[in-house]
Amino acid sequence: MLSRIAESLYWMSRHLERADNTARVLDINVVHMLESDEGVTEEMQWKPLLAIVGADEFYEEFHPDGRITVQRVIHLLTQDRKNPGCIHNSLKLARENARVVRDRISNAMWETLNQFWLTTDKHLAATLQPWRAAEFYAFVHREVATFFGLSQSTMMRGQAYGFTALGSLQERADMTARILDVRYHLLLPDLSLVGSPLDYYQWGALLKSLSGFEPYRRQYQGGIRPIEVVEFVVLDPDYPRSLAYCVEGIERALGRIGHVPDGAVTDRLHALRGHLSGVTANDIIDQGLHEYLDDFLARLAEFSDALQADYFDAHLGDAQ
């Protein structure tokens, strides 16, 4: 497979996963905007989202007055063309990469993604208002799920499928770590709220932003406890957005692709697996969750650099 084809497959799915994850965290905030505590300001509710998606600097550049509002955050993360990570730009790039690899994905996948992009581009021609945002984000969730569902049911399990899965899982691991890091930091300090309705609501919102509220409740019967949230989101191998599940999926995807002799990817993957192996949620909390997740994200970035060097920066040979 040509390296440019492999890279386009990888970024097609990674941009789609990024669009869905961005819509996911925005959706939870929009839906629960009116349910939050009266003492929670707009800035307190919406500033964490900028940190999660790494858009703090963009926001400060575009809004020098520093005032954070729901409309500004929604616009920046959903449709501001100057923000390369907004949903609109992520879907545009996903579609452009899909066009490059049309002969490697199924017709159903291409038609779904192409129509998804055309509908989104038309919908976001006007400013998205907060009261219409939840409906749009639900649309994004459905379309991304449809695309990945089609990839599961229509793609041969070869190199093309491997690169497609790799991009999605890598982006998902990155976003899961960021969401948990930022939300946990915000929620943990106030011990006076532990067990209160507000505490339950906030931890529930964290799990919902990761589509983990219902599976968590089925797994743990004693309510929502921070230590169990960490165990579930970081270490549970059966939860499809956990760090452990994503890293195992990345390893399976690399098995389909084939390892490059003398490449750095294998070592970087072992570093990721080693970071998650042999630890408990208590070990992670004792070490410091922020430090643990920061280390994980650093190792994931090193893996990404190795992937670029081993697979995308050089020709991989003739198409197979």
Side-chain angles (χ1 to χ4, degrees):
M1 180 181 289
L2 298 175
S3 58
R4 63 180 178 83
I5 298 298
E7 190 170 17
S8 290
L9 286 163
Y10 169 84
W11 281 109
M12 171 192 71
S13 63
R14 185 155 189 180
H15 283 304
L16 269 177
E17 184 74 33
R18 182 172 299 173
D20 182 53
N21 286 328
T22 303
R24 192 177 295 278
V25 293
L26 283 164
D27 189 23
I28 294 301
N29 260 35
V30 168
V31 170
H32 296 288
M33 189 164 49
L34 299 178
E35 300 176 11
S36 60
D37 184 66
E38 292 180 358
V40 178
T41 64
E42 260 189 314
E43 179 172 355
M44 291 169 63
Q45 186 172 12
W46 291 93
K47 187 175 182 179
L49 271 67
L50 300 174
I52 288 170
V53 301
D56 313 62
E57 294 183 3
F58 282 111
Y59 193 92
E60 292 176 4
E61 179 183 346
F62 300 155
H63 303 290
D65 63 8
R67 191 167 63 91
I68 295 178
T69 68
V70 54
Q71 183 63 76
R72 286 180 173 185
V73 175
I74 285 177
H75 182 76
L76 177 70
L77 301 185
T78 304
Q79 61 189 139
D80 194 324
R81 310 309 199 260
K82 293 176 290 185
N83 174 17
C86 75
I87 293 173
H88 182 275
N89 284 338
S90 292
L91 294 179
K92 179 181 179 181
L93 290 170
R95 191 249 192 184
E96 289 176 357
N97 279 286
R99 184 167 54 185
V100 173
V101 295
R102 282 191 63 177
D103 63 333
R104 298 302 180 112
I105 62 177
S106 66
N107 286 335
M109 290 169 66
W110 163 252
E111 290 169 2
T112 295
L113 180 52
N114 188 49
Q115 187 58 49
F116 180 20
W117 158 248
L118 292 174
T119 303
T120 298
D121 189 42
K122 180 179 180 181
H123 189 86
L124 295 182
T127 299
L128 183 65
Q129 300 299 327
W131 56 87
R132 297 179 56 221
E135 181 181 355
F136 173 71
Y137 298 141
F139 164 74
V140 172
H141 300 328
R142 288 194 302 270
E143 292 300 308
V144 172
T146 298
F147 179 87
F148 283 126
L150 287 169
S151 74
Q152 288 284 329
S153 61
T154 63
M155 288 188 79
M156 294 289 290
R157 295 311 195 255
Q159 285 188 324
Y161 180 83
F163 280 111
T164 301
L166 187 60
S168 174
L169 289 164
Q170 190 173 340
E171 182 66 28
R172 184 179 299 179
D174 181 88
M175 182 62 87
T176 294
R178 292 178 185 278
I179 290 174
L180 180 59
D181 186 21
V182 172
R183 293 289 192 181
Y184 191 93
H185 176 73
L186 289 172
L187 297 178
L188 187 63
D190 194 349
L191 298 179
S192 66
L193 293 177
V194 173
S196 70
L198 178 60
D199 180 60
Y200 184 88
Y201 157 77
Q202 290 175 325
W203 284 107
L206 184 155
L207 290 167
K208 287 176 182 177
S209 68
L210 294 169
S211 291
F213 183 76
E214 293 178 2
Y216 176 90
R217 290 294 306 276
R218 285 191 287 267
Q219 185 91 340
Y220 301 94
Q221 306 298 321
I224 299 178
R225 299 176 61 232
I227 189 71
E228 291 174 344
V229 173
V230 171
E231 181 179 63
F232 184 67
V233 173
V234 176
L235 301 174
D236 194 315
D238 296 322
Y239 169 49
R241 291 190 173 273
S242 76
L243 302 187
Y245 182 95
C246 290
V247 171
E248 287 181 8
I250 287 171
E251 185 171 26
R252 290 193 297 271
L254 285 174
R256 297 185 186 281
I257 294 165
H259 293 271
V260 174
D262 301 320
V265 161
T266 301
D267 289 339
R268 300 286 77 80
L269 177 61
H270 287 162
L272 277 172
R273 286 190 60 83
H275 191 62
L276 295 167
S277 300
V279 296
T280 66
N282 282 315
D283 295 332
I284 294 172
I285 298 300
D286 290 342
Q287 174 184 334
L289 181 64
H290 172 72
E291 290 74 16
Y292 182 87
L293 293 173
D294 218 29
D295 193 11
F296 175 85
L297 288 170
R299 293 172 190 242
L300 191 64
E302 291 172 356
F303 174 83
S304 182
D305 291 340
L307 191 72
Q308 185 70 36
D310 287 359
Y311 292 94
F312 303 149
D313 287 346
H315 186 76
L316 294 183
D318 294 332
Q320 297 180 1

